[in-house]
Amino acid sequence: MDFRDILARRRMHRAFLPDPLAPEQIDRIAGVIRRAPSGGFSQGGSIVVVTDREKREQIARAFGDEHYSTDGRNFIADAPVHMVISANEALYHARYNEADKLAATGGVEVTWPVPYWFVDAGALMMLVLLAAIDEGLASAFVGHPDQKRIFDELLGLPEDVVPLGLALIGKAGDSPPIGSRLRSRQRPLDDLVHRERW
Ligand SMILES: Cc1cc2nc3c(=O)[nH]c(=O)nc-3n(C[C@H](O)[C@H](O)[C@H](O)COP(=O)(O)O)c2cc1C
């Protein structure tokens, strides 16, 4: 699919058909991790792919029903593929303490301008969502304030691994009207894109 078409279709879907996806399709989507950039090539991003129905229902319950249910259907539970996208800060500290990096930063670990582990995991999240659209599917991303505990308990994340949230992938269902994207709520482009200087 042409990038412009993918972009035009990009939105957070809020209804999925529960039909399972082909394993090759799931592999292609998760496989974008190989094309994801990372600071110092630290490769701290990770994905846990969940297709097991009972597990997806447990995740949906833990995330709470109120935001995610319409007409008795919960779109987290319905989405046939869950991908938990996480960051691992420790891998960045290890990488930036290797000799080639220390040689460039005077023997001390770089001063982090922003947490690259979250930058990179966010970029990975976007690649996953767009790859799903490229497959002709729908996708969404949701978070929960207590998601570290939730995914530790349900999926056994290691201590160092911090989930950004949950990517949902599946065939598009009939999404409810788009509330949060209303044009009236869109900030003017000039507030977002600055030319030559702020
Ligand atoms: C980091 C992040 C966290 C989000 N968390 C949630 C969430 O917890 N629940 C939800 O319904 N939508 C969530 N969204 C979706 C946003 O509400 C959505 O992206 C925004 O309203 C714009 O709509 P659009 O993505 O369809 O253009 C999240 C989006 C991002 C990027």
Side-chain angles (χ1 to χ4, degrees):
M1 201 183 288
D2 187 76
F3 179 67
R4 301 228 156 245
D5 293 331
I6 295 175
L7 206 50
R9 288 161 200 251
R10 216 283 316 145
R11 57 168 292 203
M12 300 300 185
H13 269 263
R14 291 193 157 83
F16 295 90
L17 303 182
D19 314 359
L21 302 184
E24 315 82 69
Q25 200 167 36
I26 298 171
D27 289 348
R28 279 197 297 275
I29 296 168
V32 298
I33 197 164
R34 282 273 177 239
R35 302 297 307 151
S38 63
F41 202 35
S42 303
Q43 303 171 78
S46 60
I47 301 174
V48 181
V49 180
V50 181
T51 57
D52 178 74
R53 190 170 61 85
E54 175 56 26
K55 198 61 94 175
R56 289 185 286 112
E57 283 172 357
Q58 287 173 356
I59 292 171
R61 272 198 299 279
F63 269 53
D65 263 343
E66 61 283 15
H67 295 304
Y68 303 113
S69 297
T70 330
D71 299 332
R73 300 230 56 113
N74 180 299
F75 73 82
I76 295 184
D78 277 345
V81 177
H82 289 188
M83 292 195 189
V84 178
I85 315 264
S86 299
N88 186 333
E89 176 178 349
L91 291 177
Y92 288 75
H93 297 302
R95 171 67 187 108
Y96 279 78
N97 278 289
E98 287 178 11
D100 61 325
K101 287 291 177 195
L102 290 178
T105 50
V108 287
E109 187 177 320
V110 69
T111 304
W112 299 94
V114 290
Y116 281 180
W117 38 98
F118 292 131
V119 175
D120 294 346
L124 170 62
M125 176 266 273
M126 200 70 245
L127 285 184
V128 165
L129 297 184
L130 296 183
I133 298 169
D134 189 44
E135 296 281 338
L137 301 169
S139 52
F141 187 75
V142 296
H144 187 282
D146 211 13
Q147 61 194 10
K148 173 67 177 149
R149 180 193 56 77
I150 291 170
F151 293 127
D152 281 0
E153 284 176 14
L154 292 178
L155 306 177
L157 297 193
E159 194 183 327
D160 281 350
V161 171
V162 175
L164 264 70
L166 177 66
L168 304 169
I169 298 166
K171 292 179 188 150
D174 282 335
S175 257
I178 307 167
S180 57
R181 278 213 90 176
L182 287 176
R183 259 180 207 288
S184 59
R185 293 200 59 239
Q186 260 187 3
R187 295 176 62 196
L189 194 57
D190 284 348
D191 285 0
L192 307 174
V193 181
H194 306 271
R195 319 260 168 197
E196 312 305 343
R197 61 162 294 150
W198 189 276

